[in-house]
Amino acid sequence: MTQTTPPEDIPARGKAYTGQGVTVYYDMPRCVHVANCVRGLPEVFRPRGRPWIQAGNAAAERIAQVVRTCPTGALHYVLEGGPPEAPDRPTTITPVADGPLAIRGDLVIQTPGGEVREVRAALCRCGGSGNRPFCDGTHAKIGWRSGGEAPASQRGDDHPEPGQRADGARESDEK
């Protein structure tokens, strides 16, 4: 396994795992353990193994195909001599029941650390993530449900002013 740096136009971040013709990048804070990778290629993605990604155990294109199923963007790849992952067109936004917004496309995401270019991401909807704007799985820990509002104590707005909605927006008299 060798460490490599992705080209500037590749949205790959995290620890690098290199195999024949492919480098897989794993950005641990973005992973919420959907496990598409483990189900798709268990001989490569082995949570109990060390290192847990064995990029030499499958063909480069097959690894890239499975990595593209990662909804959070925690996994990315660089194919040796191959094209970067193409963003989906059109961009799609899919609310996950009791979870994040899954988005795919040519994304530019504003983060506290600056602008991030991305092709896949899971964005926090519960407001509790420690890795905002990205989901870190906190919704499951706090019992957030997408069918209703989280308790005010979990939203951080437990003292709303008159005329203020729970989401912090002002009520309007306009119809």
Side-chain angles (χ1 to χ4, degrees), residues 53-115:
I53 298 175
Q54 298 284 325
N57 288 353
E61 187 51 50
R62 178 70 180 124
I63 291 171
Q65 180 183 22
V66 169
V67 166
R68 287 189 296 267
T69 71
C70 174
T72 67
L75 291 172
H76 284 283
Y77 65 88
V78 173
L79 292 173
E80 188 177 301
E85 181 175 351
D88 286 2
R89 296 194 196 282
T91 296
T92 60
I93 302 172
T94 306
V96 176
D98 301 331
L101 286 175
I103 59 176
R104 298 178 78 88
D106 190 7
L107 312 173
V108 179
I109 301 170
Q110 300 300 320
T111 74
E115 188 175 273

Side-chain angles (χ1 to χ4, degrees), residues 17-175:
Y17 300 86
T18 301
Q20 185 67 34
V22 66
T23 300
V24 176
Y25 292 88
Y26 175 58
D27 188 4
M28 185 175 59
R30 301 259 310 265
C31 184
V32 295
H33 309 291
V34 174
N36 286 354
C37 56
V38 175
R39 285 188 303 279
L41 272 176
E43 65 273 22
V44 171
F45 300 96
R46 305 172 341 162
R48 291 185 180 88
R50 294 294 170 255
W52 86 275
I53 298 175
Q54 298 284 325
N57 288 353
E61 187 51 50
R62 178 70 180 124
I63 291 171
Q65 180 183 22
V66 169
V67 166
R68 287 189 296 267
T69 71
C70 174
T72 67
L75 291 172
H76 284 283
Y77 65 88
V78 173
L79 292 173
E80 188 177 301
E85 181 175 351
D88 286 2
R89 296 194 196 282
T91 296
T92 60
I93 302 172
T94 306
V96 176
D98 301 331
L101 286 175
I103 59 176
R104 298 178 78 88
D106 190 7
L107 312 173
V108 179
I109 301 170
Q110 300 300 320
T111 74
E115 188 175 273
V116 173
R117 295 207 48 97
E118 207 24 288
V119 292
R120 292 174 277 112
L123 300 183
C124 176
R125 284 200 295 164
C126 75
S129 174
N131 191 29
R132 283 185 296 233
F134 303 106
C135 175
D136 69 359
T138 297
H139 59 274
K141 294 175 190 147
I142 65 173
W144 182 83
R145 300 285 178 250
S146 54
E149 293 182 351
S153 61
Q154 292 175 349
R155 293 190 310 260
D157 64 350
D158 50 339
H159 300 290
E161 299 172 25
Q164 183 179 1
R165 298 189 329 222
D167 65 2
R170 297 276 175 193
E171 295 291 342
S172 172
D173 292 332
E174 292 181 28
K175 297 288 180 189

